[in-house]
PDB file of all heavy atoms in Angstrom:
ATOM      1  N   LYS A1175       9.778  18.211  15.218  1.00  0.00           N
ATOM      2  CA  LYS A1175       9.259  19.226  16.149  1.00  0.00           C
ATOM      3  C   LYS A1175      10.391  20.055  16.738  1.00  0.00           C
ATOM      4  O   LYS A1175      11.483  19.548  16.996  1.00  0.00           O
ATOM      5  CB  LYS A1175       8.463  18.556  17.286  1.00  0.00           C
ATOM      6  CG  LYS A1175       7.402  17.583  16.800  1.00  0.00           C
ATOM      7  CD  LYS A1175       6.640  16.949  17.944  1.00  0.00           C
ATOM      8  CE  LYS A1175       5.902  15.711  17.481  1.00  0.00           C
ATOM      9  NZ  LYS A1175       6.765  14.539  17.315  1.00  0.00           N
ATOM     10  N   LEU A1204       6.448  21.228  13.775  1.00  0.00           N
ATOM     11  CA  LEU A1204       5.599  21.625  14.880  1.00  0.00           C
ATOM     12  C   LEU A1204       6.401  22.275  16.001  1.00  0.00           C
ATOM     13  O   LEU A1204       7.553  21.907  16.236  1.00  0.00           O
ATOM     14  CB  LEU A1204       4.888  20.387  15.478  1.00  0.00           C
ATOM     15  CG  LEU A1204       4.066  19.497  14.546  1.00  0.00           C
ATOM     16  CD1 LEU A1204       3.493  18.318  15.328  1.00  0.00           C
ATOM     17  CD2 LEU A1204       2.949  20.287  13.879  1.00  0.00           C
ATOM     18  N   ILE A1205       5.781  23.218  16.719  1.00  0.00           N
ATOM     19  CA  ILE A1205       6.315  23.674  17.999  1.00  0.00           C
ATOM     20  C   ILE A1205       5.930  22.600  19.017  1.00  0.00           C
ATOM     21  O   ILE A1205       4.745  22.318  19.208  1.00  0.00           O
ATOM     22  CB  ILE A1205       5.727  25.035  18.401  1.00  0.00           C
ATOM     23  CG1 ILE A1205       6.012  26.101  17.347  1.00  0.00           C
ATOM     24  CG2 ILE A1205       6.279  25.467  19.763  1.00  0.00           C
ATOM     25  CD1 ILE A1205       5.305  27.432  17.601  1.00  0.00           C
ATOM     26  N   HIS A1206       6.926  21.981  19.655  1.00  0.00           N
ATOM     27  CA  HIS A1206       6.675  20.772  20.446  1.00  0.00           C
ATOM     28  C   HIS A1206       5.803  21.040  21.676  1.00  0.00           C
ATOM     29  O   HIS A1206       4.926  20.238  22.012  1.00  0.00           O
ATOM     30  CB  HIS A1206       8.010  20.154  20.872  1.00  0.00           C
ATOM     31  CG  HIS A1206       7.937  18.685  21.119  1.00  0.00           C
ATOM     32  ND1 HIS A1206       9.010  17.848  20.976  1.00  0.00           N
ATOM     33  CD2 HIS A1206       6.918  17.891  21.501  1.00  0.00           C
ATOM     34  CE1 HIS A1206       8.659  16.608  21.245  1.00  0.00           C
ATOM     35  NE2 HIS A1206       7.388  16.605  21.579  1.00  0.00           N
ATOM     36  N   TRP A1207       6.068  22.133  22.362  1.00  0.00           N
ATOM     37  CA  TRP A1207       5.286  22.541  23.537  1.00  0.00           C
ATOM     38  C   TRP A1207       5.159  24.059  23.506  1.00  0.00           C
ATOM     39  O   TRP A1207       6.043  24.738  22.992  1.00  0.00           O
ATOM     40  CB  TRP A1207       5.988  22.130  24.848  1.00  0.00           C
ATOM     41  CG  TRP A1207       6.018  20.656  25.092  1.00  0.00           C
ATOM     42  CD1 TRP A1207       6.994  19.778  24.684  1.00  0.00           C
ATOM     43  CD2 TRP A1207       5.042  19.873  25.781  1.00  0.00           C
ATOM     44  NE1 TRP A1207       6.681  18.502  25.072  1.00  0.00           N
ATOM     45  CE2 TRP A1207       5.487  18.525  25.761  1.00  0.00           C
ATOM     46  CE3 TRP A1207       3.837  20.180  26.434  1.00  0.00           C
ATOM     47  CZ2 TRP A1207       4.778  17.496  26.351  1.00  0.00           C
ATOM     48  CZ3 TRP A1207       3.124  19.144  27.024  1.00  0.00           C
ATOM     49  CH2 TRP A1207       3.588  17.819  26.983  1.00  0.00           C
ATOM     50  N   PRO A1208       4.087  24.602  24.079  1.00  0.00           N
ATOM     51  CA  PRO A1208       4.016  26.074  24.178  1.00  0.00           C
ATOM     52  C   PRO A1208       5.217  26.582  24.973  1.00  0.00           C
ATOM     53  O   PRO A1208       5.601  25.969  25.974  1.00  0.00           O
ATOM     54  CB  PRO A1208       2.706  26.304  24.957  1.00  0.00           C
ATOM     55  CG  PRO A1208       1.903  25.060  24.759  1.00  0.00           C
ATOM     56  CD  PRO A1208       2.894  23.943  24.659  1.00  0.00           C
ATOM     57  N   VAL A1236       1.451  23.019  15.662  1.00  0.00           N
ATOM     58  CA  VAL A1236       1.834  23.062  17.076  1.00  0.00           C
ATOM     59  C   VAL A1236       1.543  21.703  17.707  1.00  0.00           C
ATOM     60  O   VAL A1236       0.917  20.833  17.108  1.00  0.00           O
ATOM     61  CB  VAL A1236       1.074  24.180  17.816  1.00  0.00           C
ATOM     62  CG1 VAL A1236       1.483  25.550  17.285  1.00  0.00           C
ATOM     63  CG2 VAL A1236      -0.452  23.989  17.713  1.00  0.00           C
ATOM     64  N   SER A1237       2.010  21.557  18.940  1.00  0.00           N
ATOM     65  CA  SER A1237       1.775  20.336  19.703  1.00  0.00           C
ATOM     66  C   SER A1237       1.537  20.719  21.158  1.00  0.00           C
ATOM     67  O   SER A1237       2.209  21.615  21.678  1.00  0.00           O
ATOM     68  CB  SER A1237       2.990  19.403  19.568  1.00  0.00           C
ATOM     69  OG  SER A1237       2.782  18.184  20.243  1.00  0.00           O
ATOM     70  N   ASN A1238       0.579  20.068  21.782  1.00  0.00           N
ATOM     71  CA  ASN A1238       0.262  20.309  23.196  1.00  0.00           C
ATOM     72  C   ASN A1238      -0.249  21.720  23.462  1.00  0.00           C
ATOM     73  O   ASN A1238      -0.032  22.273  24.544  1.00  0.00           O
ATOM     74  CB  ASN A1238       1.496  20.014  24.065  1.00  0.00           C
ATOM     75  CG  ASN A1238       1.983  18.584  23.909  1.00  0.00           C
ATOM     76  OD1 ASN A1238       1.259  17.645  24.214  1.00  0.00           O
ATOM     77  ND2 ASN A1238       3.193  18.422  23.382  1.00  0.00           N
ATOM     78  N   TYR A1239      -0.927  22.305  22.479  1.00  0.00           N
ATOM     79  CA  TYR A1239      -1.501  23.651  22.624  1.00  0.00           C
ATOM     80  C   TYR A1239      -2.974  23.566  23.009  1.00  0.00           C
ATOM     81  O   TYR A1239      -3.701  22.682  22.546  1.00  0.00           O
ATOM     82  CB  TYR A1239      -1.387  24.427  21.308  1.00  0.00           C
ATOM     83  CG  TYR A1239      -0.105  25.218  21.171  1.00  0.00           C
ATOM     84  CD1 TYR A1239       1.136  24.603  21.269  1.00  0.00           C
ATOM     85  CD2 TYR A1239      -0.131  26.584  20.932  1.00  0.00           C
ATOM     86  CE1 TYR A1239       2.312  25.321  21.131  1.00  0.00           C
ATOM     87  CE2 TYR A1239       1.045  27.326  20.799  1.00  0.00           C
ATOM     88  CZ  TYR A1239       2.265  26.676  20.903  1.00  0.00           C
ATOM     89  OH  TYR A1239       3.420  27.404  20.768  1.00  0.00           O
ATOM     90  N   SER A1240      -3.395  24.497  23.849  1.00  0.00           N
ATOM     91  CA  SER A1240      -4.814  24.635  24.163  1.00  0.00           C
ATOM     92  C   SER A1240      -5.499  25.408  23.037  1.00  0.00           C
ATOM     93  O   SER A1240      -4.836  26.056  22.207  1.00  0.00           O
ATOM     94  CB  SER A1240      -4.986  25.400  25.476  1.00  0.00           C
ATOM     95  OG  SER A1240      -4.568  26.752  25.312  1.00  0.00           O
ATOM     96  N   THR A1241      -6.814  25.391  23.041  1.00  0.00           N
ATOM     97  CA  THR A1241      -7.556  26.156  22.031  1.00  0.00           C
ATOM     98  C   THR A1241      -7.259  27.653  22.175  1.00  0.00           C
ATOM     99  O   THR A1241      -7.089  28.357  21.178  1.00  0.00           O
ATOM    100  CB  THR A1241      -9.062  25.899  22.158  1.00  0.00           C
ATOM    101  OG1 THR A1241      -9.305  24.492  21.996  1.00  0.00           O
ATOM    102  CG2 THR A1241      -9.847  26.662  21.098  1.00  0.00           C
ATOM    103  N   GLN A1243      -4.521  29.041  23.215  1.00  0.00           N
ATOM    104  CA  GLN A1243      -3.175  29.315  22.682  1.00  0.00           C
ATOM    105  C   GLN A1243      -3.171  29.295  21.151  1.00  0.00           C
ATOM    106  O   GLN A1243      -2.456  30.082  20.516  1.00  0.00           O
ATOM    107  CB  GLN A1243      -2.190  28.283  23.241  1.00  0.00           C
ATOM    108  CG  GLN A1243      -1.890  28.491  24.719  1.00  0.00           C
ATOM    109  CD  GLN A1243      -1.189  27.312  25.359  1.00  0.00           C
ATOM    110  OE1 GLN A1243      -1.408  26.162  24.980  1.00  0.00           O
ATOM    111  NE2 GLN A1243      -0.324  27.588  26.324  1.00  0.00           N
ATOM    112  N   ILE A1244      -3.971  28.419  20.567  1.00  0.00           N
ATOM    113  CA  ILE A1244      -4.109  28.404  19.113  1.00  0.00           C
ATOM    114  C   ILE A1244      -4.759  29.702  18.631  1.00  0.00           C
ATOM    115  O   ILE A1244      -4.323  30.325  17.656  1.00  0.00           O
ATOM    116  CB  ILE A1244      -4.936  27.175  18.667  1.00  0.00           C
ATOM    117  CG1 ILE A1244      -4.121  25.889  18.847  1.00  0.00           C
ATOM    118  CG2 ILE A1244      -5.393  27.316  17.209  1.00  0.00           C
ATOM    119  CD1 ILE A1244      -4.906  24.620  18.623  1.00  0.00           C
ATOM    120  N   VAL A1257      -1.939  21.795  12.137  1.00  0.00           N
ATOM    121  CA  VAL A1257      -2.119  20.613  12.990  1.00  0.00           C
ATOM    122  C   VAL A1257      -1.879  21.008  14.441  1.00  0.00           C
ATOM    123  O   VAL A1257      -1.057  21.879  14.732  1.00  0.00           O
ATOM    124  CB  VAL A1257      -1.098  19.510  12.584  1.00  0.00           C
ATOM    125  CG1 VAL A1257      -1.080  18.354  13.586  1.00  0.00           C
ATOM    126  CG2 VAL A1257      -1.369  18.998  11.180  1.00  0.00           C
ATOM    127  N   ASN A1258      -2.586  20.357  15.359  1.00  0.00           N
ATOM    128  CA  ASN A1258      -2.234  20.384  16.782  1.00  0.00           C
ATOM    129  C   ASN A1258      -2.132  18.934  17.246  1.00  0.00           C
ATOM    130  O   ASN A1258      -3.102  18.182  17.189  1.00  0.00           O
ATOM    131  CB  ASN A1258      -3.286  21.124  17.612  1.00  0.00           C
ATOM    132  CG  ASN A1258      -2.897  21.268  19.081  1.00  0.00           C
ATOM    133  OD1 ASN A1258      -1.721  21.246  19.428  1.00  0.00           O
ATOM    134  ND2 ASN A1258      -3.894  21.424  19.950  1.00  0.00           N
ATOM    135  N   GLN A1259      -0.929  18.545  17.680  1.00  0.00           N
ATOM    136  CA  GLN A1259      -0.702  17.171  18.120  1.00  0.00           C
ATOM    137  C   GLN A1259      -0.819  17.120  19.648  1.00  0.00           C
ATOM    138  O   GLN A1259      -0.062  17.794  20.349  1.00  0.00           O
ATOM    139  CB  GLN A1259       0.694  16.700  17.665  1.00  0.00           C
ATOM    140  CG  GLN A1259       0.952  15.239  17.958  1.00  0.00           C
ATOM    141  CD  GLN A1259       2.362  14.811  17.593  1.00  0.00           C
ATOM    142  OE1 GLN A1259       3.168  14.468  18.461  1.00  0.00           O
ATOM    143  NE2 GLN A1259       2.689  14.828  16.296  1.00  0.00           N
ATOM    144  N   ILE A1260      -1.774  16.331  20.141  1.00  0.00           N
ATOM    145  CA  ILE A1260      -2.046  16.266  21.574  1.00  0.00           C
ATOM    146  C   ILE A1260      -2.299  14.815  21.997  1.00  0.00           C
ATOM    147  O   ILE A1260      -2.525  13.956  21.151  1.00  0.00           O
ATOM    148  CB  ILE A1260      -3.270  17.133  21.966  1.00  0.00           C
ATOM    149  CG1 ILE A1260      -4.518  16.696  21.173  1.00  0.00           C
ATOM    150  CG2 ILE A1260      -2.981  18.610  21.751  1.00  0.00           C
ATOM    151  CD1 ILE A1260      -5.798  17.449  21.564  1.00  0.00           C
ATOM    152  N   ARG A1261      -2.256  14.568  23.311  1.00  0.00           N
ATOM    153  CA  ARG A1261      -2.628  13.237  23.801  1.00  0.00           C
ATOM    154  C   ARG A1261      -4.096  13.006  23.490  1.00  0.00           C
ATOM    155  O   ARG A1261      -4.942  13.861  23.734  1.00  0.00           O
ATOM    156  CB  ARG A1261      -2.413  13.139  25.317  1.00  0.00           C
ATOM    157  CG  ARG A1261      -1.000  12.918  25.724  1.00  0.00           C
ATOM    158  CD  ARG A1261      -0.889  12.703  27.232  1.00  0.00           C
ATOM    159  NE  ARG A1261      -1.183  11.327  27.599  1.00  0.00           N
ATOM    160  CZ  ARG A1261      -1.905  10.960  28.652  1.00  0.00           C
ATOM    161  NH1 ARG A1261      -2.448  11.863  29.439  1.00  0.00           N
ATOM    162  NH2 ARG A1261      -2.077   9.690  28.929  1.00  0.00           N
ATOM    163  N   ARG A1271     -13.642  19.802  22.373  1.00  0.00           N
ATOM    164  CA  ARG A1271     -12.285  20.100  21.902  1.00  0.00           C
ATOM    165  C   ARG A1271     -12.115  19.647  20.460  1.00  0.00           C
ATOM    166  O   ARG A1271     -11.461  20.323  19.651  1.00  0.00           O
ATOM    167  CB  ARG A1271     -11.263  19.394  22.806  1.00  0.00           C
ATOM    168  CG  ARG A1271      -9.870  19.945  22.574  1.00  0.00           C
ATOM    169  CD  ARG A1271      -9.003  19.855  23.802  1.00  0.00           C
ATOM    170  NE  ARG A1271      -7.816  20.670  23.600  1.00  0.00           N
ATOM    171  CZ  ARG A1271      -6.588  20.287  23.935  1.00  0.00           C
ATOM    172  NH1 ARG A1271      -6.384  19.125  24.497  1.00  0.00           N
ATOM    173  NH2 ARG A1271      -5.566  21.081  23.714  1.00  0.00           N
ATOM    174  N   GLU A1283      -4.277  15.787  15.801  1.00  0.00           N
ATOM    175  CA  GLU A1283      -3.418  14.602  15.706  1.00  0.00           C
ATOM    176  C   GLU A1283      -3.213  14.059  17.108  1.00  0.00           C
ATOM    177  O   GLU A1283      -2.811  14.797  18.016  1.00  0.00           O
ATOM    178  CB  GLU A1283      -2.069  14.956  15.076  1.00  0.00           C
ATOM    179  CG  GLU A1283      -1.123  13.767  15.001  1.00  0.00           C
ATOM    180  CD  GLU A1283       0.176  14.081  14.280  1.00  0.00           C
ATOM    181  OE1 GLU A1283       0.469  15.267  14.039  1.00  0.00           O
ATOM    182  OE2 GLU A1283       0.913  13.133  13.965  1.00  0.00           O
ATOM    183  N   TYR A1285      -1.510  11.540  19.995  1.00  0.00           N
ATOM    184  CA  TYR A1285      -0.390  10.650  20.323  1.00  0.00           C
ATOM    185  C   TYR A1285      -0.732   9.855  21.583  1.00  0.00           C
ATOM    186  O   TYR A1285      -1.703  10.147  22.281  1.00  0.00           O
ATOM    187  CB  TYR A1285       0.924  11.419  20.475  1.00  0.00           C
ATOM    188  CG  TYR A1285       1.059  12.386  21.625  1.00  0.00           C
ATOM    189  CD1 TYR A1285       1.390  11.950  22.905  1.00  0.00           C
ATOM    190  CD2 TYR A1285       0.909  13.757  21.431  1.00  0.00           C
ATOM    191  CE1 TYR A1285       1.553  12.840  23.958  1.00  0.00           C
ATOM    192  CE2 TYR A1285       1.079  14.656  22.480  1.00  0.00           C
ATOM    193  CZ  TYR A1285       1.392  14.191  23.740  1.00  0.00           C
ATOM    194  OH  TYR A1285       1.547  15.071  24.782  1.00  0.00           O
TER     195      TYR A1285
END
Side-chain angles (χ1 to χ4, degrees):
K1175 309 180 197 77
L1204 305 178
I1205 302 173
H1206 206 153
W1207 291 90
V1236 295
S1237 183
N1238 301 298
Y1239 270 57
S1240 68
T1241 301
Q1243 288 167 328
I1244 288 172
V1257 170
N1258 185 25
Q1259 186 184 114
I1260 57 176
R1261 281 185 82 222
R1271 194 151 193 223
E1283 178 175 13
Y1285 66 82

